[in-house]
């Protein structure tokens, strides 16, 4: 695996190694078992836990395209955009979108604080690895902005302790926040969406192509605020912050209380059991039943249209009905 000049290309070497594993795996499945041949793989489930989905195997389209893919991300990262456009690796009619894995979800949920006890109005801590993240960090995380808005924490600085990421402090900050920015990075998907929802922090999504799991059953317009990338790029999130502050100032905070209540109702849908054995048949089926019955979700029967980039805000229509102004995402 060289670059044509005798120099080892690390990315190409890694990809060729991954491909060899997949070739061996599927060759074994096809030759040692009769099940693949009976349907061409259509009755097989293949888990791809990475945002790259099936593109982890560069020849997936030639060998396993008929199978059902289970993956946390339905869109593509910029790095793999060309390949995705040629052969989209996720089909909403065939494949299954699942939540990202949040560690120790029950412990996380117990950290959630009442709205009046939360220190931060708006929170983001993460790598500034995209144009939109850089814009927000420069505007809302500048020294001048911090002096003006002492209840806003937006930074590209990663918390570390003894050379390792300090996840405990990061989650503590999430739990102390009313709104948590979920911003497109290398790809539309980010785990902080699920961390925020488990902790009861209202996600403010600035990622036009982000799609959600279980969107046929959960109305995400009732538990998130959607804000377009174009608007955030235009002013660095200044207008968004103004609208969020208006929602926070509402007395009593009926809109925010309703959204947080809705989050608590559905967060079980994003929490994996501590351990699942191969003999455990309860996981996915019972999850869908809980969501539909209202134990884990609202049981809505429509998606949120998140892929079209349109804004939505659970507080805007209520504010207008009262004759008030403002709102979070529109």
């Amino acid at each position: 695996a060289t670059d044509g000049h005798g120099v080892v290309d690390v990315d190409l070497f890694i990809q060729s190694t991954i491909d060899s594993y997949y070739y061996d795996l599927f060759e074994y499945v096809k030759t040692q078992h009769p099940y693949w041949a009976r349907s061409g793989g259509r009755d097989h489930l293949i888990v791809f836990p990475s945002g790259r989905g099936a593109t982890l195997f560069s020849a997936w389209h030639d060998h396993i395209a008929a199978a059902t893919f289970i993956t946390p991300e339905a869109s593509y990262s910029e790095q793999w955009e060309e390949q995705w456009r040629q052969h989209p690796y996720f089909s909403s009619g065939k494949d299954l979108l699942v939540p990202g894995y949040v560690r120790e979800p029950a412990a996380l949920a117990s950290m959630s604080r009442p709205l009046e006890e939360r220190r931060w109005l708006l929170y983001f801590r993460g790598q500034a690895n995209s144009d939109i993240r850089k814009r927000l960090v420069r505007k809302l995380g500048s020294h001048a902005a911090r002096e003006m808005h002492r209840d806003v924490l937006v930074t590209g600085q990663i918390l570390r302790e003894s050379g390792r990421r300090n996840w405990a402090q990061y989650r503590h900050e999430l739990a102390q926040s009313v709104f948590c920015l979920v911003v497109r990075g290398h790809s539309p998907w980010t785990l902080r969406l699920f961390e925020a929802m488990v902790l009861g922090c209202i996600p403010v999504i600035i990622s036009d192509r982000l799609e959600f799991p279980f969107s046929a059953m959960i109305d995400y317009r009732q538990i998130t605020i959607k804000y377009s990338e174009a608007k955030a790029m235009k002013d660095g999130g200044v207008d968004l912050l103004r609208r969020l502050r208006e929602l926070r100032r509402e007395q009593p905070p009926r809109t925010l209380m309703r959204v947080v209540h809705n989050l608590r109702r559905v967060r079980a849908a994003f929490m994996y059991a501590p351990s699942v054995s191969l003999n455990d048949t309860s996981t996915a089926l019972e999850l869908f039943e809980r969501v539909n019955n209202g134990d884990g979700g609202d049981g809505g029967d429509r998606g949120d249209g998140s892929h079209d980039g349109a804004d939505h805000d659970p507080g805007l229509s209520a504010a207008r009905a009262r004759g008030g102004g403002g709102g979070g995402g529109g």
Side-chain angles (χ1 to χ4, degrees), residues 22 99 111 134 157 160 165 176 178 198 210 256 288-289 307:
Y22 276 114
M111 293 171 58
K134 291 175 183 176
Q157 181 181 0
R160 296 187 182 277
R165 289 195 177 188
Q176 294 289 329
V178 178
V198 170
L210 178 64
L256 296 186
F288 281 111
E289 290 176 350
H307 60 279

mmCIF file of all heavy atoms in Angstrom, residues 22 99 111 134 157 160 165 176 178 198 210 256 288-289 307:
data_model
loop_
_atom_site.group_PDB
_atom_site.id
_atom_site.type_symbol
_atom_site.label_atom_id
_atom_site.label_comp_id
_atom_site.label_asym_id
_atom_site.label_seq_id
_atom_site.Cartn_x
_atom_site.Cartn_y
_atom_site.Cartn_z
ATOM 1 N N TYR A 22 -12.794 -7.722 6.028
ATOM 2 C CA TYR A 22 -14.163 -7.865 5.545
ATOM 3 C C TYR A 22 -14.259 -8.922 4.445
ATOM 4 O O TYR A 22 -15.221 -9.704 4.405
ATOM 5 C CB TYR A 22 -14.697 -6.527 5.045
ATOM 6 C CG TYR A 22 -15.266 -5.661 6.138
ATOM 7 C CD1 TYR A 22 -14.669 -4.456 6.484
ATOM 8 C CD2 TYR A 22 -16.407 -6.049 6.841
ATOM 9 C CE1 TYR A 22 -15.191 -3.666 7.498
ATOM 10 C CE2 TYR A 22 -16.934 -5.271 7.838
ATOM 11 C CZ TYR A 22 -16.317 -4.070 8.174
ATOM 12 O OH TYR A 22 -16.834 -3.293 9.177
ATOM 13 N N PRO A 99 -29.425 5.090 17.935
ATOM 14 C CA PRO A 99 -28.710 6.123 18.701
ATOM 15 C C PRO A 99 -27.245 5.756 18.886
ATOM 16 O O PRO A 99 -26.875 4.579 18.890
ATOM 17 C CB PRO A 99 -29.451 6.131 20.048
ATOM 18 C CG PRO A 99 -30.760 5.466 19.789
ATOM 19 C CD PRO A 99 -30.502 4.471 18.715
ATOM 20 N N MET A 111 -27.751 12.973 36.939
ATOM 21 C CA MET A 111 -27.026 14.235 37.107
ATOM 22 C C MET A 111 -27.853 15.441 36.676
ATOM 23 O O MET A 111 -27.491 16.571 36.968
ATOM 24 C CB MET A 111 -25.725 14.199 36.289
ATOM 25 C CG MET A 111 -24.702 13.202 36.770
ATOM 26 S SD MET A 111 -23.317 13.061 35.592
ATOM 27 C CE MET A 111 -22.726 14.762 35.548
ATOM 28 N N LYS A 134 -15.942 26.699 14.034
ATOM 29 C CA LYS A 134 -14.948 27.769 14.169
ATOM 30 C C LYS A 134 -15.630 29.125 14.265
ATOM 31 O O LYS A 134 -15.235 29.976 15.064
ATOM 32 C CB LYS A 134 -13.990 27.735 12.990
ATOM 33 C CG LYS A 134 -13.060 26.529 12.981
ATOM 34 C CD LYS A 134 -12.222 26.488 11.720
ATOM 35 C CE LYS A 134 -11.345 25.243 11.691
ATOM 36 N NZ LYS A 134 -10.574 25.132 10.411
ATOM 37 N N GLN A 157 -11.730 24.464 23.458
ATOM 38 C CA GLN A 157 -10.737 23.860 24.347
ATOM 39 C C GLN A 157 -11.259 22.555 24.927
ATOM 40 O O GLN A 157 -12.361 22.514 25.484
ATOM 41 C CB GLN A 157 -10.377 24.826 25.474
ATOM 42 C CG GLN A 157 -9.328 24.294 26.435
ATOM 43 C CD GLN A 157 -9.012 25.278 27.557
ATOM 44 O OE1 GLN A 157 -9.586 26.367 27.600
ATOM 45 N NE2 GLN A 157 -8.119 24.902 28.449
ATOM 46 N N ARG A 160 -8.762 18.311 29.780
ATOM 47 C CA ARG A 160 -7.845 17.184 29.948
ATOM 48 C C ARG A 160 -7.336 17.137 31.383
ATOM 49 O O ARG A 160 -7.201 18.162 32.046
ATOM 50 C CB ARG A 160 -6.664 17.288 28.985
ATOM 51 C CG ARG A 160 -7.071 17.190 27.517
ATOM 52 C CD ARG A 160 -5.867 17.113 26.586
ATOM 53 N NE ARG A 160 -6.281 17.072 25.188
ATOM 54 C CZ ARG A 160 -6.658 15.983 24.548
ATOM 55 N NH1 ARG A 160 -6.666 14.826 25.202
ATOM 56 N NH2 ARG A 160 -7.035 16.017 23.280
ATOM 57 N N ARG A 165 -8.671 13.014 28.266
ATOM 58 C CA ARG A 165 -9.881 13.837 28.297
ATOM 59 C C ARG A 165 -10.631 13.665 29.615
ATOM 60 O O ARG A 165 -10.832 12.546 30.099
ATOM 61 C CB ARG A 165 -10.798 13.473 27.137
ATOM 62 C CG ARG A 165 -10.270 13.925 25.785
ATOM 63 C CD ARG A 165 -11.346 13.868 24.732
ATOM 64 N NE ARG A 165 -10.892 14.368 23.454
ATOM 65 C CZ ARG A 165 -11.671 14.565 22.397
ATOM 66 N NH1 ARG A 165 -12.960 14.290 22.483
ATOM 67 N NH2 ARG A 165 -11.185 15.030 21.272
ATOM 68 N N GLN A 176 -25.204 21.131 33.751
ATOM 69 C CA GLN A 176 -25.417 22.462 34.306
ATOM 70 C C GLN A 176 -25.909 23.456 33.255
ATOM 71 O O GLN A 176 -25.927 24.662 33.506
ATOM 72 C CB GLN A 176 -24.104 22.977 34.914
ATOM 73 C CG GLN A 176 -23.631 22.208 36.124
ATOM 74 C CD GLN A 176 -24.497 22.464 37.343
ATOM 75 O OE1 GLN A 176 -25.053 23.550 37.496
ATOM 76 N NE2 GLN A 176 -24.647 21.476 38.202
ATOM 77 N N VAL A 178 -28.727 24.807 30.174
ATOM 78 C CA VAL A 178 -30.109 24.789 29.699
ATOM 79 C C VAL A 178 -30.159 24.352 28.244
ATOM 80 O O VAL A 178 -30.942 23.477 27.873
ATOM 81 C CB VAL A 178 -30.761 26.183 29.856
ATOM 82 C CG1 VAL A 178 -32.200 26.153 29.313
ATOM 83 C CG2 VAL A 178 -30.751 26.614 31.305
ATOM 84 N N VAL A 198 -30.032 12.800 27.256
ATOM 85 C CA VAL A 198 -30.061 11.983 28.469
ATOM 86 C C VAL A 198 -29.941 12.875 29.703
ATOM 87 O O VAL A 198 -30.578 12.643 30.730
ATOM 88 C CB VAL A 198 -28.939 10.926 28.441
ATOM 89 C CG1 VAL A 198 -28.805 10.249 29.798
ATOM 90 C CG2 VAL A 198 -29.233 9.879 27.376
ATOM 91 N N LEU A 210 -28.341 16.461 9.534
ATOM 92 C CA LEU A 210 -28.479 15.487 10.612
ATOM 93 C C LEU A 210 -29.850 14.823 10.563
ATOM 94 O O LEU A 210 -30.875 15.492 10.451
ATOM 95 C CB LEU A 210 -28.293 16.179 11.963
ATOM 96 C CG LEU A 210 -28.444 15.301 13.204
ATOM 97 C CD1 LEU A 210 -27.358 14.232 13.244
ATOM 98 C CD2 LEU A 210 -28.394 16.154 14.466
ATOM 99 N N LEU A 256 -39.873 26.031 28.357
ATOM 100 C CA LEU A 256 -38.693 25.229 28.669
ATOM 101 C C LEU A 256 -39.052 24.017 29.522
ATOM 102 O O LEU A 256 -38.527 22.918 29.315
ATOM 103 C CB LEU A 256 -37.647 26.081 29.389
ATOM 104 C CG LEU A 256 -37.046 27.241 28.591
ATOM 105 C CD1 LEU A 256 -35.933 27.906 29.381
ATOM 106 C CD2 LEU A 256 -36.526 26.761 27.244
ATOM 107 N N PHE A 288 -39.183 -0.208 20.883
ATOM 108 C CA PHE A 288 -40.212 0.344 20.011
ATOM 109 C C PHE A 288 -41.570 0.340 20.710
ATOM 110 O O PHE A 288 -42.350 1.272 20.586
ATOM 111 C CB PHE A 288 -40.283 -0.459 18.715
ATOM 112 C CG PHE A 288 -39.199 -0.113 17.740
ATOM 113 C CD1 PHE A 288 -38.183 -1.011 17.453
ATOM 114 C CD2 PHE A 288 -39.184 1.114 17.110
ATOM 115 C CE1 PHE A 288 -37.178 -0.685 16.569
ATOM 116 C CE2 PHE A 288 -38.183 1.449 16.213
ATOM 117 C CZ PHE A 288 -37.186 0.546 15.941
ATOM 118 N N GLU A 289 -41.857 -0.720 21.474
ATOM 119 C CA GLU A 289 -43.130 -0.794 22.180
ATOM 120 C C GLU A 289 -43.228 0.299 23.240
ATOM 121 O O GLU A 289 -44.265 0.935 23.403
ATOM 122 C CB GLU A 289 -43.295 -2.170 22.820
ATOM 123 C CG GLU A 289 -43.520 -3.286 21.789
ATOM 124 C CD GLU A 289 -43.590 -4.648 22.441
ATOM 125 O OE1 GLU A 289 -43.273 -4.753 23.644
ATOM 126 O OE2 GLU A 289 -43.952 -5.619 21.746
ATOM 127 N N HIS A 307 -33.615 16.710 7.579
ATOM 128 C CA HIS A 307 -32.650 16.727 6.510
ATOM 129 C C HIS A 307 -32.799 17.917 5.586
ATOM 130 O O HIS A 307 -31.912 18.195 4.793
ATOM 131 C CB HIS A 307 -32.756 15.437 5.696
ATOM 132 C CG HIS A 307 -34.105 15.241 5.068
ATOM 133 N ND1 HIS A 307 -35.165 14.745 5.768
ATOM 134 C CD2 HIS A 307 -34.568 15.522 3.812
ATOM 135 C CE1 HIS A 307 -36.236 14.688 4.968
ATOM 136 N NE2 HIS A 307 -35.900 15.166 3.791
#
